[in-house]
Amino acid sequence: MGMWELVVVFIVGLVVLGPERLPVAIRTVSRWVKTAKAMANSVKAEVSEELRVHELHENLKKAEQQGLKDLSPDLQNSVSELQQAAQSVTHSYKKAKAKLLIINKQMTQSEYSTLFSYI
């Protein structure tokens, strides 16, 4: 909106709502706009992430068709990125498994029965 459009909207709001309710209405509308922008940014981020995942998936298919040999730099980057992601998932899984094993060794039989009574 231009400057004059905002002035017209402000004057109409002042006439319709009055000076007491206009600030509250402005705050409410600004919250709605902020919420709408945040939702739009969230959707935009999700869509871009899904497109990136789809592109990685397509590149992996191409790499598999080529037998992971003589890959273009684009495909090599995608494959290495997927390998790093897989390693990070495996690494965090191993950490969680190790923590569970430590907890498992420390628990007594009565603690097991208490734990499984909640499940």
Side-chain angles (χ1 to χ4, degrees):
M1 281 188 173
M3 176 65 176
W4 292 110
E5 292 169 336
L6 288 173
V7 169
V8 170
V9 168
F10 178 76
I11 291 172
V12 169
L14 188 59
V15 169
V16 172
L17 296 174
E20 295 89 26
R21 292 187 289 174
L22 185 61
V24 175
I26 290 173
R27 276 186 243 122
T28 303
V29 169
S30 68
R31 279 190 216 123
W32 290 346
V33 169
K34 286 178 186 177
T35 303
K37 283 183 180 181
M39 287 174 49
N41 287 336
S42 173
V43 168
K44 183 179 174 182
E46 288 180 29
V47 167
S48 66
E49 180 64 22
E50 286 298 320
L51 288 173
R52 189 182 72 80
V53 168
H54 180 71
E55 179 185 354
L56 287 173
H57 184 69
E58 290 296 319
N59 287 342
L60 184 60
K61 281 184 180 178
K62 288 178 188 176
E64 287 176 347
Q65 289 172 351
Q66 293 179 1
L68 296 174
K69 296 177 184 172
D70 302 326
L71 300 176
S72 69
D74 234 10
L75 291 176
Q76 287 175 347
N77 289 340
S78 293
V79 169
S80 66
E81 187 175 342
L82 287 170
Q83 287 172 342
Q84 289 172 354
Q87 287 174 354
S88 71
V89 168
T90 304
H91 184 67
S92 61
Y93 170 74
K94 286 180 181 178
K95 281 184 176 178
K97 185 177 178 182
K99 286 181 183 178
L100 284 174
L101 288 174
I102 291 170
I103 291 170
N104 187 21
K105 288 179 183 178
Q106 294 173 350
M107 287 182 72
T108 64
Q109 184 64 33
S110 63
E111 291 171 331
Y112 276 118
S113 61
T114 305
L115 175 68
F116 288 112
S117 68
Y118 294 116
I119 296 176

